[in-house]
Amino acid sequence: MKIPLTFRALRHRNYRIWFFGQTISLVGTWMQTMAQQVLVYRLTGSAGALGTVNFLALVPLIPLSLWGGSLTDRIPKRNVILTTQALMMIQALMLAFLTWKGIVQVWHVYLLAFFLGAVNAVDVPARQAFTVDMVEGKEDLTNAIGLNSAMFNGARALGPALAGAVVATTGEGTAFFLNAVTFVAVILCLLFMRNLPKPVERMLGRGQILRHMGQGWRFVIGEQSILVLFSLVGLSAFLSMPYMTLMPVFADQVLGKSASPVITYLCSGDNPLLRCQSPEALPLGLLLTMVGVGAVIGALVVASLPGHASRGKWMTFGSIGFPLALVIYSLSRSFVLSMLLLLLAGFCFVWQNTLANTLIQILAPDHLRGRIMSLYSMITQGMMRLGGLQAGLVADWIGAPLSLGIGALISLVYDTYVAFRYPKVRKI
C-alpha cells in the first residue's frame, strides 16, 4: 500500500485493524468520562468529590500495574487486553443500569471507579507495549505512538461533544450504555489479528514474580534519561493535568456567565437546535472538545516527524508550553479565550507525553518493555489521579482558578529548569 508518511504505521495489517477499532472504543470512553463528571457534580456539587473519583481509581494502580507489566512480558498481550476490555464493558453497563433506574448514588460511582482503575492498571501497560508487536518492530514505532495519540485525542474531541448532546437530551445513562457498546468494536478487532509474536510463557512463583517486576525498576534507576523523562511527565500529571478534573467547575462557576449565549442559542428560543434536559453539559463538552482538537493536531504533527528529528527538543517545547497555556487559562474569564487556550494546551500536552512515551519505548529493551511501560503508566496515571484529588480539595478551599494556576506555575518552573539542567535529554 502507498501510504503518506504521517500514516505509515497503517501499512501493518494488525495495527490498521487496531487503529479503527480502538478509535471507536475511545470515543465511548470519553463519553463516559464526561458524563461521569456531570453525574458526580450533579449529585454532590463538590469539586472535592470529582477529585475523590480520581483518587479511588489510584488505589489499585500501584500493585496491579506492576503485576500487569510482569504479566505482559510473560503471556500474549492480546489475551490480557481482551480480558480487560470485556471487564470495562461490564463496568459501563452497570453504571448505565444504575443511572437509568434512577437509583445511582455517589458511592456507586466511587465503587465502580475503583473497579475501573483496577482493570486499567493492567490494561494500559499491555496496550502500550502491544504497539511494537502490531507494527513488527521499532521502525514505525514513533509514527504508531503518534497515531495512537491522535486516535486518543480525536476521541477526546468527539466523545465529549457527543456526550454533551446525549447528556443534555437523554441523561447520563445513555452515554454510559453507548460506551459499553463501543467495546464490541475493539474486542472484534483483537480477535481478527493474525501472526502476532508470542512471548515465552512462564509460570512464576510469588518470589519469582517480585524479582521479575523488580528488573524493570533496576533498569530505570540506572538510566538517567528515562528517570528525567519520568519526572517530567509525573510532575506534569500531578500539577497540570488536574485541569481536566476541575473542568466542570470552570464550565459552571468560572466561565458559566460568558458561556450563557452559547447555551441560549443551542437550547432556547423559538427554534432551539437541541431539547436540553441538562444544558450545563454543553459548555463542558465544548471545552473538552477544544482540548481534543488541539491534541489531534499535535499528534499528527508528531506522527509526521522524520526519523532524524530531534524528538527531545520538541518534547521540551511541549513541556514548557503546556503549563504556560494553563497558567493563562486559570486567569481567563472569557469562554472563547479559554477555548483557544485549551486548544494550545492540548497541542503542547501531546508533544510532551507522546514524545516522552516514544523515547522511553525506544530506550527500553524488548524483554523489559512491558515492565518499564507499567512503571510509566503507574507514574502518569498515579500522579494524575493524586493531582486530581489535591486540586479538587484545594479548589474547595481557595477556588479552582487559583488551585490550577499555582500548580501549573510550579510545573512550568520545573520544566524550564530541566530544559537547562539536562541538555542531553533535549538533544535526544
Side-chain angles (χ1 to χ4, degrees):
M1 295 176 62
K2 189 72 174 177
I3 293 179
L5 181 67
T6 304
F7 302 98
R8 61 188 180 273
L10 294 177
R11 63 185 174 143
H12 301 276
R13 177 185 178 275
N14 287 334
Y15 182 77
R16 190 162 60 249
I17 294 171
W18 169 263
F19 183 85
F20 293 108
Q22 182 71 352
T23 298
I24 295 171
S25 180
L26 285 172
V27 170
T29 298
W30 276 105
M31 289 183 68
Q32 173 160 318
T33 299
M34 187 268 193
Q36 181 173 278
Q37 287 181 316
V38 173
L39 176 62
V40 171
Y41 198 62
R42 175 170 65 82
L43 292 173
T44 66
S46 167
L50 294 169
T52 301
V53 173
N54 278 284
F55 175 74
L56 288 172
L58 166 67
V59 176
L61 182 66
I62 294 177
L64 288 179
S65 63
L66 294 175
W67 175 75
S70 175
L71 192 68
T72 297
D73 284 335
R74 291 186 288 114
I75 70 171
K77 301 176 185 66
R78 176 170 61 175
N79 295 352
V80 177
I81 300 170
L82 278 170
T83 302
T84 55
Q85 296 293 303
L87 291 173
M88 291 180 192
M89 180 169 62
I90 293 171
Q91 188 266 1
L93 287 172
M94 293 176 65
L95 199 52
F97 174 79
L98 291 170
T99 307
W100 272 340
K101 286 292 185 179
I103 59 175
V104 66
Q105 299 179 39
V106 71
W107 71 265
H108 293 140
V109 183
Y110 289 164
L111 183 62
L112 290 170
F114 177 87
F115 175 77
L116 185 61
V119 177
N120 261 319
V122 180
D123 178 75
V124 172
R127 277 192 291 115
Q128 291 184 341
F130 193 44
T131 303
V132 174
D133 293 352
M134 290 186 290
V135 298
E136 305 167 44
K138 295 182 179 180
E139 180 184 355
D140 291 327
L141 180 60
T142 301
N143 180 256
I145 294 175
L147 291 180
N148 284 346
S149 183
M151 174 203 314
F152 178 85
N153 290 290
R156 175 187 282 183
L158 181 58
L162 292 175
V166 169
V167 172
T169 54
T170 63
E172 301 93 349
T174 304
F176 300 143
F177 176 74
L178 290 174
N179 177 41
V181 172
T182 62
F183 281 108
V184 175
V186 73
I187 290 173
L188 289 175
C189 289
L190 287 165
L191 294 174
F192 287 146
M193 290 184 185
R194 299 290 183 269
N195 302 318
L196 291 167
K198 296 181 180 180
V200 178
E201 296 191 36
R202 290 189 288 168
M203 298 298 293
L204 301 176
R206 181 178 301 176
Q208 291 176 308
I209 290 177
L210 293 176
R211 286 195 297 271
H212 195 254
M213 292 189 299
Q215 289 174 357
W217 276 110
R218 287 192 292 272
F219 179 84
V220 169
I221 290 172
E223 290 287 333
Q224 185 186 64
S225 296
I226 293 182
L227 282 175
V228 172
L229 292 170
F230 275 15
S231 73
L232 283 172
V233 296
L235 191 72
S236 176
F238 183 70
L239 294 176
S240 296
M241 275 305 291
Y243 83 96
M244 294 294 290
T245 300
L246 298 176
M247 196 77 78
V249 184
F250 273 86
D252 179 40
Q253 298 180 9
V254 181
L255 302 171
K257 184 177 180 180
S258 62
S260 59
V262 177
I263 299 176
T264 301
Y265 174 74
L266 294 174
C267 299
S268 303
D270 296 331
N271 297 297
L273 297 178
L274 298 171
R275 295 185 179 276
C276 300
Q277 295 182 11
S278 303
E280 68 276 7
L282 293 174
L284 177 59
L286 290 172
L287 291 174
L288 290 172
T289 296
M290 293 304 290
V291 176
V293 170
V296 169
I297 296 171
L300 291 176
V301 174
V302 169
S304 302
L305 290 176
H308 62 273
S310 178
R311 289 164 175 78
K313 180 181 69 175
W314 294 115
M315 186 210 65
T316 301
F317 169 79
S319 296
I320 294 174
F322 177 49
L324 178 61
L326 291 178
V327 169
I328 303 173
Y329 168 73
S330 69
L331 301 173
S332 170
R333 296 299 178 269
S334 165
F335 186 69
V336 174
L337 176 61
S338 295
M339 287 196 298
L340 294 176
L341 289 168
L342 289 179
L343 182 78
L344 177 61
F347 181 93
C348 293
F349 169 77
V350 165
W351 276 77
Q352 179 193 47
N353 285 263
T354 301
L355 290 171
N357 185 314
T358 300
L359 295 174
I360 290 169
Q361 292 218 47
I362 289 174
L363 294 171
D366 290 342
H367 69 285
L368 290 173
R369 182 169 292 105
R371 281 162 284 179
I372 292 173
M373 295 315 296
S374 74
L375 294 174
Y376 175 81
S377 65
M378 182 182 71
I379 290 171
T380 54
Q381 296 290 319
M383 296 302 286
M384 182 182 68
R385 296 185 187 284
L386 279 175
L389 177 63
Q390 65 83 14
L393 295 176
V394 174
D396 280 344
W397 176 37
I398 62 175
L402 195 56
S403 172
L404 175 61
I406 292 173
L409 183 61
I410 295 172
S411 181
L412 175 62
V413 171
Y414 178 74
D415 293 341
T416 305
Y417 165 77
V418 167
F420 291 98
R421 177 65 178 80
Y422 300 101
K424 71 175 185 179
V425 174
R426 191 174 68 246
K427 296 176 181 177
I428 297 176

PDB file of all heavy atoms in Angstrom, residues 360-376:
ATOM      1  N   ILE A 360      10.975   6.645  25.706  1.00  0.00           N
ATOM      2  CA  ILE A 360      11.091   5.583  26.712  1.00  0.00           C
ATOM      3  C   ILE A 360      11.003   4.210  26.051  1.00  0.00           C
ATOM      4  O   ILE A 360      11.780   3.295  26.367  1.00  0.00           O
ATOM      5  CB  ILE A 360      10.007   5.759  27.793  1.00  0.00           C
ATOM      6  CG1 ILE A 360      10.317   6.988  28.654  1.00  0.00           C
ATOM      7  CG2 ILE A 360       9.925   4.505  28.680  1.00  0.00           C
ATOM      8  CD1 ILE A 360       9.196   7.400  29.567  1.00  0.00           C
ATOM      9  N   GLN A 361      10.061   4.043  25.116  1.00  0.00           N
ATOM     10  CA  GLN A 361       9.929   2.737  24.457  1.00  0.00           C
ATOM     11  C   GLN A 361      11.138   2.423  23.573  1.00  0.00           C
ATOM     12  O   GLN A 361      11.540   1.263  23.457  1.00  0.00           O
ATOM     13  CB  GLN A 361       8.649   2.695  23.622  1.00  0.00           C
ATOM     14  CG  GLN A 361       7.374   2.724  24.454  1.00  0.00           C
ATOM     15  CD  GLN A 361       6.292   1.835  23.874  1.00  0.00           C
ATOM     16  OE1 GLN A 361       6.532   0.698  23.517  1.00  0.00           O
ATOM     17  NE2 GLN A 361       5.076   2.365  23.788  1.00  0.00           N
ATOM     18  N   ILE A 362      11.732   3.437  22.965  1.00  0.00           N
ATOM     19  CA  ILE A 362      12.928   3.206  22.155  1.00  0.00           C
ATOM     20  C   ILE A 362      14.107   2.805  23.046  1.00  0.00           C
ATOM     21  O   ILE A 362      14.899   1.919  22.696  1.00  0.00           O
ATOM     22  CB  ILE A 362      13.259   4.459  21.328  1.00  0.00           C
ATOM     23  CG1 ILE A 362      12.218   4.635  20.212  1.00  0.00           C
ATOM     24  CG2 ILE A 362      14.662   4.374  20.732  1.00  0.00           C
ATOM     25  CD1 ILE A 362      12.364   5.917  19.430  1.00  0.00           C
ATOM     26  N   LEU A 363      14.232   3.434  24.208  1.00  0.00           N
ATOM     27  CA  LEU A 363      15.326   3.129  25.123  1.00  0.00           C
ATOM     28  C   LEU A 363      15.123   1.812  25.869  1.00  0.00           C
ATOM     29  O   LEU A 363      16.087   1.242  26.387  1.00  0.00           O
ATOM     30  CB  LEU A 363      15.493   4.273  26.135  1.00  0.00           C
ATOM     31  CG  LEU A 363      15.948   5.631  25.570  1.00  0.00           C
ATOM     32  CD1 LEU A 363      15.850   6.706  26.640  1.00  0.00           C
ATOM     33  CD2 LEU A 363      17.359   5.540  25.030  1.00  0.00           C
ATOM     34  N   ALA A 364      13.897   1.311  25.930  1.00  0.00           N
ATOM     35  CA  ALA A 364      13.595   0.092  26.696  1.00  0.00           C
ATOM     36  C   ALA A 364      13.952  -1.159  25.893  1.00  0.00           C
ATOM     37  O   ALA A 364      13.580  -1.276  24.730  1.00  0.00           O
ATOM     38  CB  ALA A 364      12.113   0.062  27.066  1.00  0.00           C
ATOM     39  N   PRO A 365      14.648  -2.136  26.503  1.00  0.00           N
ATOM     40  CA  PRO A 365      14.896  -3.420  25.828  1.00  0.00           C
ATOM     41  C   PRO A 365      13.575  -4.167  25.608  1.00  0.00           C
ATOM     42  O   PRO A 365      12.625  -4.015  26.385  1.00  0.00           O
ATOM     43  CB  PRO A 365      15.795  -4.177  26.818  1.00  0.00           C
ATOM     44  CG  PRO A 365      16.297  -3.151  27.782  1.00  0.00           C
ATOM     45  CD  PRO A 365      15.273  -2.077  27.829  1.00  0.00           C
ATOM     46  N   ASP A 366      13.514  -4.975  24.562  1.00  0.00           N
ATOM     47  CA  ASP A 366      12.275  -5.675  24.218  1.00  0.00           C
ATOM     48  C   ASP A 366      11.764  -6.538  25.372  1.00  0.00           C
ATOM     49  O   ASP A 366      10.561  -6.562  25.640  1.00  0.00           O
ATOM     50  CB  ASP A 366      12.493  -6.546  22.976  1.00  0.00           C
ATOM     51  CG  ASP A 366      12.685  -5.711  21.711  1.00  0.00           C
ATOM     52  OD1 ASP A 366      12.307  -4.512  21.733  1.00  0.00           O
ATOM     53  OD2 ASP A 366      13.208  -6.241  20.720  1.00  0.00           O
ATOM     54  N   HIS A 367      12.674  -7.258  26.056  1.00  0.00           N
ATOM     55  CA  HIS A 367      12.229  -8.196  27.084  1.00  0.00           C
ATOM     56  C   HIS A 367      11.773  -7.504  28.373  1.00  0.00           C
ATOM     57  O   HIS A 367      11.187  -8.146  29.250  1.00  0.00           O
ATOM     58  CB  HIS A 367      13.346  -9.203  27.413  1.00  0.00           C
ATOM     59  CG  HIS A 367      14.521  -8.595  28.113  1.00  0.00           C
ATOM     60  ND1 HIS A 367      15.455  -7.817  27.479  1.00  0.00           N
ATOM     61  CD2 HIS A 367      14.906  -8.654  29.422  1.00  0.00           C
ATOM     62  CE1 HIS A 367      16.379  -7.428  28.341  1.00  0.00           C
ATOM     63  NE2 HIS A 367      16.066  -7.923  29.533  1.00  0.00           N
ATOM     64  N   LEU A 368      12.025  -6.179  28.481  1.00  0.00           N
ATOM     65  CA  LEU A 368      11.613  -5.428  29.668  1.00  0.00           C
ATOM     66  C   LEU A 368      10.518  -4.406  29.373  1.00  0.00           C
ATOM     67  O   LEU A 368      10.078  -3.700  30.274  1.00  0.00           O
ATOM     68  CB  LEU A 368      12.817  -4.686  30.266  1.00  0.00           C
ATOM     69  CG  LEU A 368      13.899  -5.526  30.945  1.00  0.00           C
ATOM     70  CD1 LEU A 368      15.079  -4.639  31.325  1.00  0.00           C
ATOM     71  CD2 LEU A 368      13.358  -6.228  32.179  1.00  0.00           C
ATOM     72  N   ARG A 369      10.090  -4.327  28.117  1.00  0.00           N
ATOM     73  CA  ARG A 369       9.195  -3.229  27.722  1.00  0.00           C
ATOM     74  C   ARG A 369       7.897  -3.216  28.529  1.00  0.00           C
ATOM     75  O   ARG A 369       7.437  -2.145  28.954  1.00  0.00           O
ATOM     76  CB  ARG A 369       8.886  -3.286  26.227  1.00  0.00           C
ATOM     77  CG  ARG A 369       7.998  -2.121  25.759  1.00  0.00           C
ATOM     78  CD  ARG A 369       7.904  -2.004  24.253  1.00  0.00           C
ATOM     79  NE  ARG A 369       9.184  -1.606  23.688  1.00  0.00           N
ATOM     80  CZ  ARG A 369       9.996  -2.419  23.037  1.00  0.00           C
ATOM     81  NH1 ARG A 369       9.647  -3.686  22.849  1.00  0.00           N
ATOM     82  NH2 ARG A 369      11.135  -1.992  22.562  1.00  0.00           N
ATOM     83  N   GLY A 370       7.278  -4.354  28.741  1.00  0.00           N
ATOM     84  CA  GLY A 370       6.031  -4.388  29.485  1.00  0.00           C
ATOM     85  C   GLY A 370       6.193  -3.859  30.897  1.00  0.00           C
ATOM     86  O   GLY A 370       5.363  -3.085  31.388  1.00  0.00           O
ATOM     87  N   ARG A 371       7.282  -4.243  31.568  1.00  0.00           N
ATOM     88  CA  ARG A 371       7.505  -3.795  32.938  1.00  0.00           C
ATOM     89  C   ARG A 371       7.868  -2.311  33.000  1.00  0.00           C
ATOM     90  O   ARG A 371       7.413  -1.589  33.901  1.00  0.00           O
ATOM     91  CB  ARG A 371       8.616  -4.642  33.589  1.00  0.00           C
ATOM     92  CG  ARG A 371       8.115  -6.015  34.063  1.00  0.00           C
ATOM     93  CD  ARG A 371       9.235  -6.997  34.284  1.00  0.00           C
ATOM     94  NE  ARG A 371       9.749  -7.523  32.996  1.00  0.00           N
ATOM     95  CZ  ARG A 371      10.742  -8.392  32.909  1.00  0.00           C
ATOM     96  NH1 ARG A 371      11.347  -8.827  34.003  1.00  0.00           N
ATOM     97  NH2 ARG A 371      11.138  -8.834  31.731  1.00  0.00           N
ATOM     98  N   ILE A 372       8.665  -1.838  32.049  1.00  0.00           N
ATOM     99  CA  ILE A 372       9.005  -0.415  32.037  1.00  0.00           C
ATOM    100  C   ILE A 372       7.781   0.438  31.727  1.00  0.00           C
ATOM    101  O   ILE A 372       7.556   1.488  32.344  1.00  0.00           O
ATOM    102  CB  ILE A 372      10.143  -0.154  31.023  1.00  0.00           C
ATOM    103  CG1 ILE A 372      11.442  -0.794  31.532  1.00  0.00           C
ATOM    104  CG2 ILE A 372      10.336   1.350  30.793  1.00  0.00           C
ATOM    105  CD1 ILE A 372      12.582  -0.741  30.556  1.00  0.00           C
ATOM    106  N   MET A 373       6.945  -0.008  30.804  1.00  0.00           N
ATOM    107  CA  MET A 373       5.731   0.747  30.496  1.00  0.00           C
ATOM    108  C   MET A 373       4.722   0.672  31.623  1.00  0.00           C
ATOM    109  O   MET A 373       3.891   1.577  31.780  1.00  0.00           O
ATOM    110  CB  MET A 373       5.122   0.257  29.177  1.00  0.00           C
ATOM    111  CG  MET A 373       6.005   0.505  27.951  1.00  0.00           C
ATOM    112  SD  MET A 373       6.739   2.163  27.886  1.00  0.00           S
ATOM    113  CE  MET A 373       5.274   3.194  27.744  1.00  0.00           C
ATOM    114  N   SER A 374       4.782  -0.402  32.425  1.00  0.00           N
ATOM    115  CA  SER A 374       3.902  -0.442  33.605  1.00  0.00           C
ATOM    116  C   SER A 374       4.328   0.627  34.608  1.00  0.00           C
ATOM    117  O   SER A 374       3.487   1.255  35.251  1.00  0.00           O
ATOM    118  CB  SER A 374       3.937  -1.831  34.246  1.00  0.00           C
ATOM    119  OG  SER A 374       5.141  -2.058  34.953  1.00  0.00           O
ATOM    120  N   LEU A 375       5.637   0.855  34.741  1.00  0.00           N
ATOM    121  CA  LEU A 375       6.117   1.926  35.613  1.00  0.00           C
ATOM    122  C   LEU A 375       5.712   3.290  35.055  1.00  0.00           C
ATOM    123  O   LEU A 375       5.303   4.189  35.803  1.00  0.00           O
ATOM    124  CB  LEU A 375       7.642   1.846  35.743  1.00  0.00           C
ATOM    125  CG  LEU A 375       8.197   0.608  36.451  1.00  0.00           C
ATOM    126  CD1 LEU A 375       9.716   0.583  36.369  1.00  0.00           C
ATOM    127  CD2 LEU A 375       7.748   0.586  37.903  1.00  0.00           C
ATOM    128  N   TYR A 376       5.828   3.442  33.738  1.00  0.00           N
ATOM    129  CA  TYR A 376       5.426   4.696  33.104  1.00  0.00           C
ATOM    130  C   TYR A 376       3.938   4.970  33.349  1.00  0.00           C
ATOM    131  O   TYR A 376       3.552   6.090  33.722  1.00  0.00           O
ATOM    132  CB  TYR A 376       5.719   4.618  31.601  1.00  0.00           C
ATOM    133  CG  TYR A 376       5.228   5.805  30.808  1.00  0.00           C
ATOM    134  CD1 TYR A 376       5.956   6.984  30.762  1.00  0.00           C
ATOM    135  CD2 TYR A 376       4.031   5.743  30.096  1.00  0.00           C
ATOM    136  CE1 TYR A 376       5.514   8.077  30.027  1.00  0.00           C
ATOM    137  CE2 TYR A 376       3.588   6.823  29.357  1.00  0.00           C
ATOM    138  CZ  TYR A 376       4.334   7.984  29.334  1.00  0.00           C
ATOM    139  OH  TYR A 376       3.886   9.065  28.611  1.00  0.00           O
TER     140      TYR A 376
END
